[in-house]
Amino acid sequence: MRAQGRRTMRWGAVAAAVLLPLGLASPANAGPVADVFAKLLVKQVKGANVTKHLDALQGIADANGGTRAVGTPGYAASVDYVAGRLKKAGYKVTRQPINYVQDWSETSPPVLAQTGGTTWVPNEDFFTFEPSPAGDVTAQVQAVDLTLPPTPTPTSTSGCEEADFTGFVAGRIALIQRGTCAFATKIRNAGKAGASGIIVFNEGQPGRTDAFVLDIGEWRAGVPMVFADFAVGQALAANPGASVHLKVDSDLRLGTSDNVIAETRLGLPGKVVMVGSHLDSVPAGPGINDNGSGSAANLEVALQMAHFPVKHKVRFAFWAAEEIGLLGSDQYVEKLSPAERAKIKLYLNFDMIASPNHAYKLYDGDDSDGAGSPAGPPGSDRIEKTFERFFTSRNLATVGTDFDGRSDYGPFIAVGIPSGGIFTGAEGIKTPEEAALFGGQAGVAYDACYHQACDTITNINATALDVNADAIADSTARYAFELP
Ligand SMILES: [Zn+2]
């Protein structure tokens, strides 16, 4: 009780001390207040201090076999470092446990047989999806939004939407067609609909008929799941109401890791601004650009704004297991109640912000590039504009980068939370146009050490790190006082 009381007073005093000399506390002045704090934070966040966090992460990797991958002592030490610094600065810090696949093996071949009909050949007509849980079920098969015959090019959205399962009877085996969305999405939706087993069959175009081995990184439906060839799918679809025996004999072992979540004590609880970066590396290396860079910058921004009298709650997230399927952010978003989800007004993601052959790429919130995935949820366009204005104020060019779901914003945009962020490039090749805009070498990868042992402290462009840390400071401080 006593500690808490003291803390409240101290925070109140700090808020007054920061606000009063500026004299801009009236709500009518939200714009100027946001400007003032954005400028202040940009000044306080220094590249040299961000680099100190990178040095610490490199030291952690060096002491732990050269990696900070999830499930290793290097990741655990990274969590301790970040959580420790945030706690000391006054944040409310939580470690949120998340699951990942530690080990999976198949003990005997799977079984797929129609009651009173065909028994299909395992590891030829169909394969167990890795990492399918074990299970042995006999139940009626129910087709889910199939496109038969298949269209000339892939179009099937079978199982991609939860609505595809309206009318699905829980306890039945879901029959799903490969198509335009991720296997994991279909599997998750089938699991939510109460399927007792899942059969996904190849879509049916030339080159898309066979079954094969596939690791989809998804197990949470909790039921046996297999990938079958198109002929199996056709046969089952032609026999509605038939029962099938489906068995997977596997050993799935899950590990536990932690997301680090730190939230300001001040700010309206109903208006939360989230800033995230993944903290894990790949097993091959220390992950200093990917993604020590984003995490170090977010950490320094958090530390420097710890005493800001924020209007909205600012919640910093350091995600576990991004490199093995966005598991930390995905499980975080999945566990939010609808009410908690509605409080998150926007999400900023920073993954690889100091690539040695960098370009300043902004997530294409408005789809102005017209490339790849569509625009982000409404509001993402305005987030992109905020970043653009910052870079313009420094006379720096930017280009767009598609919202392709390759980082932790994916689960946020999937549930309609406006998102944005900066990316300086991974294994992609810098174009001559980009070399003209940003310097560096055309025809060479943005980060030639992407996902390799050489992603060390020397794999960092100091200028990009400094500029982007300022851009993060600018947007985070701005949104802490005024939503876009
Ligand atoms: Zn990354």
Side-chain angles (χ1 to χ4, degrees):
M1 284 239 339
R2 196 171 166 211
Q4 208 171 7
R6 267 175 49 211
R7 181 172 286 132
T8 306
M9 270 183 57
R10 190 160 60 87
W11 278 90
V14 167
V18 177
L19 262 185
L20 289 176
L22 298 165
L24 292 165
S26 90
N29 280 333
V33 171
D35 271 347
V36 166
F37 280 101
K39 288 204 174 75
L40 181 61
L41 191 58
V42 167
K43 216 169 147 191
Q44 283 175 219
V45 169
K46 295 186 167 49
N49 291 331
V50 178
T51 303
K52 281 183 192 161
H53 301 309
L54 287 181
D55 286 333
L57 294 175
Q58 178 70 61
I60 285 169
D62 291 345
N64 291 286
T67 184
R68 301 184 305 102
V70 82
T72 68
Y75 183 74
S78 303
V79 164
D80 288 345
Y81 176 77
V82 169
R85 295 299 304 261
L86 290 164
K87 201 165 175 204
K88 211 170 144 196
Y91 283 91
K92 185 179 155 202
V93 179
T94 47
R95 296 180 188 217
Q96 181 195 22
I98 63 109
N99 287 124
Y100 64 96
V101 176
Q102 196 168 52
D103 200 28
W104 183 85
S105 60
E106 195 164 21
T107 317
S108 65
V111 175
L112 182 62
Q114 206 165 13
T115 306
T118 317
T119 296
W120 285 283
V121 182
N123 300 328
E124 193 177 310
D125 298 332
F126 70 103
F127 292 80
T128 302
F129 269 128
E130 178 174 353
S132 172
D136 187 345
V137 57
T138 300
Q140 197 177 320
V141 171
Q142 186 169 344
V144 178
D145 187 27
L146 307 181
T147 303
L148 291 175
T151 48
T153 55
T155 57
S156 168
T157 59
S158 167
C160 296
E161 294 88 26
E162 285 185 37
D164 288 350
F165 292 87
T166 309
F168 185 85
V169 179
R172 288 187 184 169
I173 294 171
L175 180 66
I176 300 174
Q177 187 174 15
R178 184 189 186 188
T180 53
C181 70
F183 286 104
T185 305
K186 300 171 186 281
I187 300 295
R188 295 270 295 279
N189 287 336
K192 282 180 197 160
S196 61
I198 301 166
I199 302 163
V200 182
F201 63 94
N202 210 345
E203 191 170 358
Q205 295 87 3
R208 280 166 77 92
T209 54
D210 289 349
F212 44 89
V213 175
L214 210 51
D215 180 355
I216 54 169
E218 182 55 70
W219 69 94
R220 286 169 283 172
V223 298
M225 49 190 197
V226 294
F227 182 48
D229 66 18
F230 180 62
V232 171
Q234 263 189 317
L236 287 172
N239 269 298
S243 271
V244 152
H245 178 209
L246 171 62
K247 182 184 171 191
V248 167
D249 184 13
S250 65
D251 187 14
L252 169 63
R253 272 192 297 142
L254 296 178
T256 304
S257 187
D258 285 328
N259 290 329
V260 178
I261 313 285
E263 188 170 274
T264 53
R265 290 173 195 273
L266 297 176
L268 297 167
K271 288 189 175 164
V272 178
V273 170
M274 274 199 84
V275 182
S277 54
H278 75 85
L279 188 55
D280 62 318
S281 73
V282 291
I288 299 304
N289 184 39
D290 182 13
N291 180 33
S293 62
S295 290
N298 284 354
L299 175 60
E300 186 59 19
V301 165
L303 299 180
Q304 293 300 331
M305 69 178 290
H307 291 173
F308 276 24
V310 291
K311 184 175 167 200
H312 311 131
K313 274 204 186 293
V314 183
R315 187 180 297 162
F316 292 91
F318 298 84
W319 307 117
E322 188 268 357
E323 297 289 8
I324 52 173
L326 316 182
L327 296 180
S329 52
D330 199 15
Q331 290 175 42
Y332 176 85
V333 171
E334 188 179 35
K335 283 184 184 128
L336 293 170
S337 68
E340 287 167 326
R341 189 191 284 180
K343 289 175 187 168
I344 301 174
K345 299 305 173 194
L346 61 94
Y347 173 70
L348 304 180
N349 192 67
F350 303 101
D351 185 1
M352 304 183 72
I353 61 158
S355 305
N357 192 29
H358 74 280
Y360 294 120
K361 296 168 179 268
L362 307 179
Y363 296 135
D364 188 15
D366 56 6
D367 201 31
S368 55
D369 294 353
S373 307
S380 306
D381 50 344
R382 293 194 294 278
I383 297 172
E384 191 184 357
K385 287 279 174 299
T386 305
F387 283 118
E388 270 173 14
R389 273 196 297 274
F390 172 84
F391 283 91
T392 303
S393 77
R394 295 273 176 107
N395 290 317
L396 293 169
T398 56
V399 292
T401 183
D402 185 36
F403 258 140
D404 59 8
R406 264 184 71 181
S407 189
D408 294 298
Y409 57 81
F412 287 86
I413 63 176
V415 298
I417 296 171
S419 300
I422 306 168
F423 172 54
T424 52
E427 79 282 20
I429 304 295
K430 190 180 238 177
T431 64
E433 294 77 21
E434 288 170 338
L437 286 175
F438 308 112
Q441 269 188 287
V444 173
Y446 304 104
D447 181 354
C449 286
Y450 174 66
H451 284 186
Q452 293 172 48
C454 58
D455 184 8
T456 64
I457 195 73
T458 62
N459 192 44
I460 290 290
N461 182 297
T463 305
L465 184 71
D466 196 13
V467 166
N468 286 330
D470 285 351
I472 297 170
D474 179 78
S475 54
T476 306
R478 226 165 257 292
Y479 298 151
F481 294 92
E482 188 181 35
L483 293 171

